[in-house]
Amino acid sequence: MKKVKNYNWALVLPIYAFTILFVLIPLIYIVVLSLLRKDILWGVTNEFTLQNYRKMFDPVYLRTFADSLGLAFGTTVITVLMGYPFGYFMAKLAPKRRAFVMLLVVVPFWTNALVRIYGWMIILRAKGVLNHLLMSLGLIDTPLKILYTYGAVLLGMVYSLLPFMILPVYTSVEKMDWSLVEAARDLGANAVQAFLTVTLKLTLPGVLSGFVLVFVPSIGLFFISDLLGGGKIMLVGNLIKNQLMQARDWPFGAALSVVMMIMTFAIIFLYRKLTHSSDLEEFF
């Protein structure tokens, strides 16, 4: 019995070591760094301060947070409107067709995200494919300014994160007990009533999982904003990158990162309260 326990510890120990070295210690480092003061020339001082957190209440930085949350909310709403019907009907397809559609959803993950965003830049630029097509059809006379706009960034976000909404919805619909829908119809509910009272409630955990998987990343995907927004759309992720790489204000960048982590934990905590689930089981 003692040998079995020692063997179990030998299996678990690498996981604990990995978590401590690559998760816990970096988190502690970021938190401590966020409480230090930036040196005048380079690096940080040993003086502890809350100034980095107070600095976020500057209207410029509050506007950045508001813009990030607004873009994340808009991205999430669009992905729900597009992803829910897609995932719902994909789950009801025949097995062979379902596998083919699933392949189409997953294939983009096999290509680097930067390459795909550069592809959208080629499509959306003034002399790109989209403007050329619209002018060929006679719908416009001069090229539209699509690239380097808020709409282009929103399009890139939706395109990149849509599969993270489709897959949880698909999983929740596939696991659903359809006999409950049939029972609702037998009791007099029409198709719409049965969907709202049974199907939607049973698939709500999948929608909420997709909400977390879309909303949280869309706050910090700075490379999409840089490429499709031309640096005009400032998100929290862009702000953190600029503070670390350009301004060299590591304590303020660390403080922003801590706030981002707190926001992420808050969203996950809210998800767990609403779904009574310990993880994003509808997706994984």
Side-chain angles (χ1 to χ4, degrees):
M1 187 70 179
K2 187 175 181 180
K3 290 184 177 179
V4 174
K5 289 184 178 180
N6 292 335
Y7 180 73
N8 291 337
W9 268 107
L11 293 176
V12 174
L13 187 60
I15 300 176
Y16 282 111
F18 180 89
T19 303
I20 293 173
L21 289 175
F22 299 103
V23 178
L24 183 60
I25 293 178
L27 285 177
I28 295 175
Y29 172 76
I30 291 295
V31 172
V32 173
L33 183 61
S34 70
L35 296 173
L36 298 178
R37 188 182 297 275
K38 179 181 180 295
D39 200 354
I40 298 176
L41 297 177
W42 183 265
V44 297
T45 65
N46 293 327
E47 179 185 355
F48 284 89
T49 178
L50 294 175
Q51 181 61 32
N52 299 310
Y53 291 94
R54 297 192 194 101
K55 191 176 179 180
M56 295 182 200
F57 290 96
D58 186 286
V60 175
Y61 301 123
L62 289 178
R63 177 64 183 272
T64 301
F65 274 97
D67 290 344
S68 298
L69 293 174
L71 181 63
F73 182 77
T75 301
T76 305
V77 169
I78 295 175
T79 53
V80 169
L81 295 177
M82 296 177 62
Y84 189 93
F86 195 103
Y88 178 87
F89 289 109
M90 183 172 70
K92 300 188 70 174
L93 291 174
K96 289 185 178 180
R97 292 185 178 180
R98 185 191 310 166
F100 176 72
V101 175
M102 175 69 75
L103 181 64
L104 295 180
V105 173
V106 176
V107 160
F109 287 105
W110 300 349
T111 307
N112 186 277
L114 286 175
V115 175
R116 290 184 277 130
I117 295 301
Y118 273 113
W120 275 108
M121 292 179 67
I122 295 173
I123 294 173
L124 299 177
R125 63 186 180 183
K127 295 182 180 180
V129 177
L130 181 58
N131 273 312
H132 179 74
L133 177 62
L134 293 175
M135 293 177 69
S136 299
L137 295 174
L139 298 177
I140 58 174
D141 297 324
T142 57
L144 298 175
K145 182 175 177 54
I146 306 174
L147 191 60
Y148 306 139
T149 63
Y150 184 90
V153 176
L154 182 61
L155 174 63
M157 290 287 188
V158 171
Y159 167 74
S160 299
L161 299 173
L162 183 59
F164 292 99
M165 181 62 70
I166 293 175
L167 295 178
V169 171
Y170 161 78
T171 303
S172 62
V173 174
E174 188 183 35
K175 293 180 179 179
M176 196 177 72
D177 185 359
W178 289 97
S179 63
L180 297 177
V181 179
E182 296 176 359
R185 296 299 301 273
D186 292 340
L187 292 173
N190 56 37
V192 176
Q193 292 173 331
F195 174 80
L196 294 176
T197 57
V198 179
T199 304
L200 185 59
K201 288 185 177 180
L202 292 178
T203 57
L204 187 59
V207 176
L208 294 176
S209 296
F211 177 90
V212 175
L213 293 168
V214 172
F215 188 87
V216 173
S218 59
I219 299 176
L221 286 178
F222 63 87
F223 71 94
I224 295 179
S225 176
D226 281 344
L227 295 177
L228 295 181
K232 299 177 182 179
I233 310 298
M234 180 64 69
L235 304 180
V236 177
N238 300 91
L239 184 58
I240 295 174
K241 184 203 69 171
N242 292 341
Q243 294 300 319
L244 296 177
M245 304 301 294
Q246 298 177 9
R248 302 292 183 181
D249 192 346
W250 297 344
F252 185 50
L256 290 169
S257 301
V258 171
V259 172
M260 281 280 291
M261 286 189 290
I262 293 174
M263 291 171 58
T264 301
F265 292 147
I267 293 172
I268 295 176
F269 176 79
L270 182 61
Y271 165 82
R272 289 179 174 180
K273 283 295 183 181
L274 292 175
T275 62
H276 304 289
S277 175
S278 60
D279 52 25
L280 301 179
E281 59 186 0
E282 294 297 332
F283 179 73
F284 296 105

